[in-house]
Amino acid sequence: MTEIEIGRLLRSGTTGFVIGCRVNQLEAPSFGALVRVPLESDYQVFGLIYDIQIEDDGLVRQLITAQDVPEEVLRDNRENRNVPVEIGVLALGYQHGERIFHLLPPRPPLSLDAIYLCTPAEIVRFTGIGRFGYFRHILRDRNKPVEELLAAHLMAARSAHEESGNADWYTQALQELITLMRDDYQGLINVLSAASDI
Amino acid sequence: MPVNLLDIQKKLQSFGEQAKARQQAITHRQQEVADLLEGYADRLDELRAQVDRAAAQNPNLRCAVPREEPLNSVIPMPELPSVFTLLAADGSQINPSRHTRIQFCVINVGVVKMVRGSSQAPEIMTQSQLLDYDAIYLPGGGIISEGMVALKRDLREREALADLAGELNFPAISMTDGPLELYHEFQESAEFTQTLEEYMTVLEHLRELGLITLGYVDKPGSDLIGRLLELVIQPGEEATPPIHRQRRFAGVRDIQLVADLLTRPGDRSALFAIYSQTALRFGMDLLPHFFYLNVGSPGKPHLARVEVPGWVARDRALVGLLQAVLTEQSAIMGTRPYPYILHRAHEVAVVTMPEQQHVEDMIVAEFSRRGIPVDEGSFKQYHKDLPTGKTRYQG
Amino acid sequence: MMSEQRENNSQNPSGPIGYIVGGGLKANLQARLSVPAQSVQEGAFVVVESGGWLFYGLVTDLQLGSTDPRFADEQTETRLPAQLAGLLHGQTLFTNLEIMTALMMERGPEPGSPEYDAWFQKVMDEQVHPEPVKTVPQHHAEVRLADAGDIAEIFGKEGEKGFFRIGNTIEGGHPVCVNLDKLVQRSSGIFGATGTGKSFLTRVILAGLIKRDKTAVLIFDMHNEYGPDDTASDTGFRVPGLRGKFPAKVRMVGLGAGASIRGNNPDFTLEIAEADITPDDVLMLSQELNLRETTATTLEALRTSFGYDRWFHAFKHMQVNVFEQDEESGKRVPAEGSVADWAEGAGVHPSAAEALHSKLRRLFNAPYIVEKPASNALQQMIENLDNGQHVVLSFGKHETDLDYLFVSNLLTRRIREVWERRTNAFRSGHQGAAEPRPLVIVVEEAHKLLNREMASQTTFSTIAREMRKYYVTLLIIDQRPSQIYDEVMSQLGTRVTGWLGDADDIQAVLTGLAGRDSLRGMLARLQPKEEVLMLGWGVPMPILVRSRRYDDAFWEELQGKSTQRSEREILDELGF
């Protein structure tokens, strides 16, 4: 199992954190991916990528005005230039020792902590424990694209669970979502519409 | 903060009038010079002889010297080769300051190496040099001047190009921002002479590497061609001490002369050598030459001056290559043409305030470890550093 | 998870079908259905397990619901993939069951636990038995369809102490029994519109009663259906009669001398002696004969003139419209022996008497009314009933309402008098007075005898009211229960009803019962054939039953295969 480091922590809070990474690190993380931040030997925080921001600067804005941009310049801007990609992560839970909790982490990660992409086995372990308590954190902030986030997460986690032989996880997850959201007709229909595009 | 706008207002009218008068005068002179340029376009030997004469009388003469091309030449750019190497270096420095806790000097040079046609991301390299303590505190008291630091920086830029060039896909071109010719106010100082020697050694080394080198001057204010033509119009004034001499074509910049000629992107003017005391020290192979180049886009010309050593200037194919490369590099920047790679070298080299602070902290820590007393920063600097932004009661 | 539950349910029919979400004792309980709505029907017998109790109830309604009306309004299955739509609907759309609970019973310890044996002994000793609901199950208590054991717990086990299987539950097909001994303790009724299998069901119950042999049965077989073999009107199949199946036990009596019932000779015939007819018997026919209000007066005068025994005979033989010349006055006067002549003498208005005479002509002409019957068939019938036999009185060709009303009422009155006498003798401790054998009188077209006008005059309503005081009860069979006097209806202990088309009839069947509102809808939506609702005093709680088929299989189950009959039964049938 190779660890894929996707970047390092820029800033954090109890409910989430922001990772900075270079553009060439950007191939690994994707919207809805589960990440983890090992803080101590027996403590790590889990989160879900809900936002990826590619920032511009003056040079990039200037380059936009050119007729065509040579490949070398393109790669220079993506790989060398110190314009970080900001990745927003929603805190979903943490692991202390062997136990996984779907509660907000007691301590947020610190500046420059390395962030790793979760392997399918880690996804299965984190999402398979308990009864989807971490959905609370996703559903809490309706200003985020919750529907899309859930759809992306479900898609990734479903394939991880199916590979590990648990074909029911997806159904159970949807059922839990429906239970959580059935008083919010529009929200629920949005989530299901998004899920139906999986 | 308070500017007395009333005072400014009172003065505005006469200020505008003065500007207008000067503008009119320059326009008049410009036409005069342009006419001369036409008239002397092919009379190159005559002009060269005039320069020799003038130089004999005025050791501080500084002007353009025509080579083989008529003055009003317009030479279009050739095709761009499919593969070539580009290197650019730029430097920045932390100047020693009385106001900091300790006085130190850092020269930071960034080098960007791009192989066009490779589809690879450019290589980025930086070299940071903390100047020796003894180099900052001059033997005769006082500390190194900012001009001297700039000179050292210019030297470091070229050195970095040679140091970091590595394997090259030829043709290979290196560039820095600014003239190729070193310039320093105390041209005769021993320190300058030593630096110049080192500089020429580096230029020679670059030449041995086959690495074309050039200096790129954006928005050039130079009037070397105007100065050349002044010699034609005022042949009798050579004897007049310079201090009393009237500049006949003052304010007429070279680019105003060639702008009408260089209409297409990639067009360059005739090549000229630079005549100056410093330039003379370079020797013929390294002697700085220059031409003007339209790096703009169709309908939107933008002129830059390009300085190259003699060995490049002699090879018209190499000069053509530079035309094409610089025009392409400038085009990458879209509406504001400037060689992309130079800008990147600048980005890499620039030392930010936090970095500067960090270096200072490192040195202070080292001093403390060794028991060397460290001053406080000046209170003047402290007060200047107070935040100027306003804050608001947030409830 | 819901889906797991569903899967379990499809595999395990006694698994939960839902859970309690609300309701109370006054209103019915509400349960959220966790299986597809189609797997439960109205009338289903369900069990709710809560705490230490089992609650038994009937599904009286199914209602579609949704957590938000928009989930119901929007056809999300067209927008979402089937799996998602399925999951969504599983949680937002649901069906609620309305359950009318009737009984509750202590569940007892788990089988195999130390306390179980002691508890089981209590059950066996009938110390633990279902009782009317006094409380409600908890929220989320599981609801399941009753299994055979639950049904047996409530309705008794087939073959035990008078429990007779009347049919099966609609869901699951578990046997439902009725306690025949209890059934006959009060009058009962079998209702249903024409063609709902009412008479088959009656045959089934009668067969059960005859087989049980604790009760004598007298059947007024107006349409000659029960005694002889018959052919079903709809299927054309042969329908065995009771006489043929119980040759030794059932006596078939024909009305009138030389009666032939569907080509069979009856065991004996019944003629009615003129002397047995009372004025009340005639009065009862007022409606049928369109008698005037003066009839009672006239009849009373007749009785006074000729006595109980003779009045009918005398009146029958009077002449009408015969006159003679009065020798003294020379006037034209009624001839001697004429109705008018008697009327004048008795102080009755001659025209009233003549009208009555005219109207009674149908009786006068009835061939089964004779001055002196050839045999005392009535006595014979009573003896048969005493001897553990059962009597089917077939009306043969005398199928008019008049015949039916007159004969059945008269006989019933006479027989009841006998039973009343015997009962009194038994109760007062006369030596040798045996306990009367309980008698069930089966009356078809009961509304003709028990309508509001007639009820006060016939013996039937008396019997219905008396319950079992004199060991006689009624089993009334009717398609128009609304026509039956409601006081009589309310006295009916057990009611078994098939589909009824008329709201008044439905209302009538439910007279005097708890939970009428819930049952009404169920009754209105019964399958037209074979589905019956059992309710009333004779069953622990109302239940919907698919009635037993009256066919060869029924008889095989009831009597055993003909080749395996015991010697005793063969001898019985031979009449020994």
Side-chain angles (χ1 to χ4, degrees):
Chain A
M1 173 163 55
T2 52
E3 290 191 329
I4 303 175
E5 183 188 317
I6 57 168
R8 288 183 177 273
L9 188 118
L10 290 175
R11 53 187 180 273
S12 66
T14 301
T15 58
F17 41 94
V18 174
I19 309 169
C21 75
R22 294 190 304 278
V23 186
N24 62 339
Q25 288 175 310
L26 187 59
E27 287 172 15
S30 55
F31 178 68
L34 194 67
V35 299
R36 63 187 177 85
V37 194
L39 298 180
E40 292 149 25
S41 60
D42 62 346
Y43 175 60
Q44 59 181 345
V45 172
F46 287 86
L48 198 62
I49 295 179
Y50 71 87
D51 188 30
I52 301 177
Q53 295 274 351
I54 313 257
E55 299 196 333
D56 70 345
D57 66 357
L59 176 58
V60 173
R61 276 196 288 272
Q62 189 56 45
L63 290 175
I64 294 299
T65 65
Q67 294 224 319
D68 42 29
V69 178
E71 177 72 16
E72 296 82 13
V73 173
L74 204 97
R75 296 193 60 171
D76 185 28
N77 276 275
R78 292 189 182 169
E79 297 172 25
N80 294 335
R81 295 198 64 242
N82 195 22
V83 182
V85 174
E86 284 201 358
I87 299 179
V89 177
L90 198 65
L92 295 188
Y94 63 96
Q95 179 178 5
H96 190 91
E98 283 304 301
R99 279 195 69 189
I100 283 175
F101 300 86
H102 289 168
L103 299 168
L104 288 177
R107 276 169 292 129
L110 304 175
S111 301
L112 298 179
D113 272 334
I115 285 94
Y116 298 92
L117 208 58
C118 283
T119 63
E122 287 163 343
I123 294 174
V124 166
R125 186 155 144 65
F126 182 79
T127 61
I129 216 144
R131 282 195 51 100
F132 305 100
Y134 67 94
F135 281 173
R136 282 196 308 274
H137 309 307
I138 302 176
L139 294 172
R140 185 177 301 119
D141 186 355
R142 296 292 169 89
N143 294 321
K144 296 188 171 74
V146 171
E147 302 83 17
E148 304 306 317
L149 185 58
L150 283 168
H153 166 66
L154 289 177
M155 180 153 63
R158 175 169 72 167
S159 77
H161 278 278
E162 280 175 356
E163 275 168 29
S164 78
N166 180 6
D168 288 342
W169 182 89
Y170 178 61
T171 307
Q172 290 165 8
L174 281 174
Q175 246 160 0
E176 181 65 17
L177 273 178
I178 293 168
T179 306
L180 290 171
M181 297 188 73
R182 63 184 168 200
D183 289 335
D184 173 12
Y185 174 81
Q186 200 53 55
L188 178 55
I189 289 295
N190 287 347
V191 168
L192 293 180
S193 297
S196 67
D197 289 336
I198 290 178
Chain B
M1 139 54 188
V3 173
N4 192 331
L5 295 176
L6 276 177
D7 290 350
I8 304 288
Q9 184 69 41
K10 281 182 215 155
K11 199 75 184 171
L12 268 183
Q13 194 179 0
S14 69
F15 186 80
E17 279 165 8
Q18 290 164 21
K20 190 170 172 65
R22 181 175 160 78
Q23 180 62 39
Q24 281 167 350
I26 288 175
T27 309
H28 180 72
R29 284 178 217 158
Q30 190 179 326
Q31 189 54 51
E32 216 175 325
V33 183
D35 292 344
L36 278 175
L37 188 79
E38 277 304 310
Y40 280 82
D42 296 312
R43 296 157 67 180
L44 304 180
D45 290 340
E46 248 177 273
L47 286 171
R48 278 196 287 270
Q50 197 68 345
V51 173
D52 287 343
R53 255 197 310 280
Q57 291 172 10
N58 177 9
N60 292 323
L61 178 68
R62 182 175 166 79
C63 70
V65 183
R67 306 298 295 181
E68 290 83 22
E69 294 159 352
L71 298 187
N72 58 356
S73 296
V74 176
I75 296 122
M77 64 174 170
E79 289 268 306
L80 200 64
S82 56
V83 178
F84 55 93
T85 306
L86 273 178
L87 281 150
D90 197 21
S92 68
Q93 67 272 21
I94 303 171
N95 285 313
S97 163
R98 286 196 306 115
H99 300 293
T100 52
R101 290 172 290 176
I102 37 157
Q103 283 162 20
F104 65 98
C105 177
V106 170
I107 292 176
N108 196 53
V109 178
V111 174
V112 178
K113 178 180 177 186
M114 176 194 280
V115 180
R116 283 285 285 117
S118 70
S119 294
Q120 296 298 310
E123 279 179 66
I124 308 293
M125 294 156 281
T126 54
Q127 284 188 336
S128 306
Q129 182 189 31
L130 177 64
L131 258 57
D132 283 342
Y133 193 78
D134 293 340
I136 300 166
Y137 289 92
L138 301 176
I143 54 172
I144 188 170
S145 71
E146 292 191 2
M148 200 60 220
V149 174
L151 195 68
K152 285 180 180 295
R153 181 200 64 205
D154 290 349
L155 173 63
R156 286 296 308 138
E157 290 173 6
R158 303 286 164 186
E159 283 176 345
L161 283 173
D163 292 350
L164 301 174
E167 281 187 35
L168 296 171
N169 285 292
F170 292 99
I173 300 150
S174 69
M175 64 185 84
T176 52
D177 185 67
L180 194 63
E181 179 193 8
L182 277 189
Y183 183 78
H184 186 58
E185 43 195 310
F186 306 106
Q187 303 253 338
E188 306 306 326
S189 73
E191 191 124 36
F192 175 74
T193 307
Q194 192 199 331
T195 306
L196 186 65
E197 304 247 308
E198 289 173 37
Y199 183 69
M200 281 186 295
T201 309
V202 175
L203 285 186
E204 187 54 41
H205 182 44
L206 290 172
R207 183 192 168 197
E208 283 160 12
L209 290 172
L211 185 54
I212 300 166
T213 191
L214 65 89
Y216 182 91
V217 184
D218 190 37
K219 201 190 173 198
S222 54
D223 54 358
L224 291 170
I225 299 175
R227 285 173 184 270
L228 169 66
L229 293 172
E230 268 176 9
L231 299 179
V232 178
I233 218 82
Q234 296 166 308
E237 288 191 18
E238 287 91 19
T240 318
I243 198 103
H244 301 297
R245 217 177 291 160
Q246 286 284 320
R247 280 290 316 281
R248 179 75 187 275
F249 297 149
V252 179
R253 292 187 289 151
D254 290 352
I255 51 172
Q256 289 166 332
L257 298 174
V258 294
D260 291 342
L261 301 172
L262 309 179
T263 52
R264 292 163 303 174
D267 282 353
R268 74 161 169 85
S269 69
L271 258 165
F272 299 88
I274 296 175
Y275 184 93
S276 75
Q277 282 303 314
T278 311
L280 286 176
R281 298 202 211 175
F282 278 70
M284 269 317 284
D285 280 345
L286 299 182
L287 181 72
H289 285 62
F290 73 92
F291 57 86
Y292 291 97
L293 176 65
N294 179 0
V295 293
S297 50
K300 285 196 73 178
H302 182 78
L303 299 191
R305 192 171 89 241
V306 181
E307 294 192 4
V308 293
W311 69 273
V312 176
R314 280 198 298 273
D315 188 336
R316 293 192 57 161
L318 292 186
V319 175
L321 172 69
L322 297 185
Q323 282 176 262
V325 165
L326 288 171
T327 308
E328 194 225 21
Q329 280 288 306
S330 298
I332 291 172
M333 298 295 269
T335 54
R336 292 183 171 77
Y338 181 80
Y340 172 80
I341 195 162
L342 267 181
H343 174 73
R344 289 288 290 120
H346 168 74
E347 268 191 355
V348 174
V350 87
V351 180
T352 62
M353 279 306 291
E355 284 169 332
Q356 188 169 333
Q357 190 60 48
H358 193 69
V359 172
E360 186 181 326
D361 291 345
M362 283 169 71
I363 297 170
V364 168
E366 178 65 22
F367 275 32
S368 304
R369 215 172 5 258
R370 291 173 183 274
I372 306 166
V374 175
D375 293 346
E376 276 187 86
S378 81
F379 294 146
K380 174 183 174 185
Q381 189 63 37
Y382 174 84
H383 292 300
K384 278 171 84 173
D385 290 345
L386 284 178
T388 55
K390 295 175 183 174
T391 55
R392 172 182 289 226
Y393 171 64
Q394 298 284 355
Chain C
M1 303 247 74
M2 198 86 67
S3 63
E4 286 165 17
Q5 275 178 13
R6 282 194 179 168
E7 272 166 34
N8 287 348
N9 285 342
S10 59
Q11 289 156 6
N12 174 12
S14 65
I17 58 166
Y19 53 95
I20 297 297
V21 295
L25 282 176
K26 282 183 186 169
N28 291 327
L29 289 178
Q30 297 283 332
R32 176 71 40 89
L33 198 61
S34 56
V35 297
Q38 288 74 27
S39 54
V40 180
Q41 293 182 3
E42 184 182 36
F45 188 63
V46 294
V47 183
V48 185
E49 299 194 30
S50 176
W53 293 88
L54 295 172
F55 294 80
Y56 299 93
L58 276 192
V59 173
T60 55
D61 198 7
L62 291 101
Q63 291 150 345
L64 295 175
S66 58
T67 55
D68 184 311
R70 282 183 290 180
F71 288 117
D73 292 343
E74 195 77 40
Q75 264 193 302
T76 32
E77 52 270 53
T78 60
R79 286 176 59 183
L80 298 173
Q83 186 201 9
L84 287 184
L87 291 172
L88 175 65
H89 297 166
Q91 291 198 50
T92 56
L93 304 182
F94 52 82
T95 309
N96 268 1
L97 292 180
E98 199 173 298
I99 298 172
M100 184 177 81
T101 45
L103 297 172
M104 56 191 248
M105 191 172 82
E106 255 186 290
R107 178 154 62 174
E110 288 298 314
S113 65
E115 303 83 27
Y116 182 74
D117 288 342
W119 181 82
F120 187 72
Q121 193 54 48
K122 280 169 84 179
V123 175
M124 295 310 287
D125 298 345
E126 297 200 336
Q127 291 175 24
V128 178
H129 47 77
E131 50 189 285
V133 279
K134 292 281 193 301
T135 181
V136 290
Q138 292 167 352
H139 273 102
H140 304 168
E142 281 187 344
V143 181
R144 60 175 170 82
L145 288 175
D147 57 27
D150 297 313
I151 310 274
E153 196 75 65
I154 303 297
F155 292 94
K157 207 167 175 184
E158 187 175 10
E160 274 182 7
K161 288 186 287 183
F163 286 103
F164 172 72
R165 180 157 67 88
I166 199 162
N168 297 335
T169 55
I170 309 294
E171 271 99 4
H174 307 304
V176 179
C177 294
V178 63
N179 187 340
L180 292 175
D181 296 348
K182 197 169 180 186
L183 179 82
V184 298
Q185 281 178 17
R186 294 190 188 185
S187 294
S188 38
I190 299 175
F191 305 103
T194 311
T196 54
K198 191 167 65 243
S199 62
F200 288 112
L201 182 63
T202 308
R203 282 187 183 91
V204 168
I205 293 174
L206 291 177
L209 285 172
I210 292 167
K211 172 79 178 170
R212 172 73 180 150
D213 215 11
K214 283 277 176 85
T215 310
V217 178
L218 169 61
I219 304 164
F220 289 115
D221 190 4
M222 184 181 179
H223 301 301
N224 310 313
E225 289 173 318
Y226 298 107
D229 290 353
D230 196 1
T231 304
S233 54
D234 45 358
T235 60
F237 284 117
R238 197 186 70 90
V239 180
L242 296 171
R243 173 77 175 83
K245 287 294 180 184
F246 295 104
K249 286 204 169 173
V250 173
R251 292 283 144 243
M252 199 159 79
V253 180
L255 182 60
S260 163
I261 313 301
R262 294 186 189 263
N264 297 326
N265 286 325
D267 291 310
F268 54 91
T269 57
L270 171 72
E271 287 172 311
I272 293 175
E274 291 173 346
D276 284 342
I277 299 170
T278 65
D280 281 348
D281 293 333
V282 174
L283 266 179
M284 192 200 68
L285 301 172
S286 297
Q287 205 174 6
E288 192 62 34
L289 295 175
N290 196 19
L291 301 181
R292 294 185 187 171
E293 286 171 12
T294 53
T295 302
T297 320
T298 312
L299 288 173
E300 181 57 26
L302 281 168
R303 191 193 58 77
T304 312
S305 301
F306 304 104
Y308 272 113
D309 295 348
R310 293 289 299 161
W311 75 269
F312 187 83
H313 182 79
F315 196 43
K316 179 182 175 182
H317 289 96
M318 284 182 194
Q319 289 177 302
V320 284
N321 287 332
V322 282
F323 299 95
E324 58 186 19
Q325 202 77 27
D326 184 40
E327 289 173 3
E328 288 178 20
S329 62
K331 284 184 186 164
R332 194 166 167 269
V333 292
E336 194 177 340
S338 72
V339 175
D341 181 46
W342 166 77
E344 280 180 2
V348 175
H349 200 289
S351 66
E354 281 176 350
L356 178 63
H357 190 271
S358 160
K359 286 178 175 166
L360 289 186
R361 186 151 296 139
R362 287 174 67 195
L363 283 183
F364 298 152
N365 292 339
Y368 51 81
I369 301 176
V370 294
E371 188 179 4
K372 280 194 167 57
S375 64
N376 190 347
L378 183 60
Q379 187 56 42
Q380 173 88 48
M381 284 167 66
I382 291 169
E383 277 171 22
N384 287 143
L385 294 171
D386 274 346
N387 292 339
Q389 287 182 319
H390 311 278
V391 173
V392 180
L393 176 61
S394 293
F395 281 72
K397 60 188 181 196
H398 308 294
E399 279 191 288
T400 67
D401 285 354
L402 181 74
D403 300 325
Y404 183 62
L405 294 180
F406 179 71
V407 174
S408 60
N409 185 55
L410 186 141
L411 283 185
T412 303
R413 178 170 53 74
R414 295 296 302 273
I415 288 170
R416 185 190 159 277
E417 281 163 9
V418 173
W419 254 259
E420 186 176 351
R421 267 201 312 277
R422 289 176 177 184
T423 306
N424 289 335
F426 171 66
R427 294 250 164 84
S428 58
H430 273 285
Q431 276 207 331
E435 182 176 8
R437 186 175 169 85
L439 173 64
V440 174
I441 300 175
V442 181
V443 193
E444 276 200 289
E445 309 257 2
H447 66 272
K448 289 175 177 161
L449 297 161
L450 288 165
N451 60 42
R452 176 173 270 280
E453 292 74 24
M454 304 276 279
S456 55
Q457 302 168 37
T458 64
T459 315
F460 294 103
S461 58
T462 315
I463 295 174
R465 276 196 300 274
E466 283 170 347
M467 297 192 273
R468 210 191 183 186
K469 190 171 166 192
Y470 297 111
Y471 291 84
V472 181
T473 56
L474 297 177
L475 174 60
I476 64 177
I477 299 157
D478 207 299
Q479 70 264 33
R480 296 305 312 273
S482 61
Q483 311 264 310
I484 296 175
Y485 187 34
D486 46 12
E487 250 181 52
V488 175
M489 279 306 289
S490 64
Q491 293 300 326
L492 294 182
T494 310
R495 301 165 208 188
V496 183
T497 176
W499 182 78
L500 288 166
D502 189 280
D504 290 343
D505 290 333
I506 293 172
Q507 179 78 19
V509 168
L510 300 174
T511 305
L513 291 180
R516 280 192 297 279
D517 293 339
S518 302
L519 296 169
R520 186 177 298 126
M522 203 186 301
L523 195 44
R525 286 182 290 273
L526 282 180
Q527 289 287 316
K529 274 197 189 297
E530 293 187 345
E531 264 185 32
V532 294
L533 184 66
M534 286 210 303
L535 30 79
W537 178 81
V539 283
M541 57 179 283
I543 187 168
L544 200 58
V545 177
R546 175 158 291 127
S547 62
R548 217 167 160 176
R549 289 241 168 102
Y550 184 76
D551 54 13
D552 290 345
F554 168 76
W555 284 108
E556 266 177 31
E557 282 168 25
L558 194 72
Q559 298 190 315
K561 293 212 166 160
S562 51
T563 51
Q564 292 168 346
R565 274 184 286 179
S566 69
E567 197 182 344
R568 180 67 249 169
E569 281 174 320
I570 295 167
L571 287 174
D572 275 353
E573 286 182 16
L574 291 173
F576 290 99

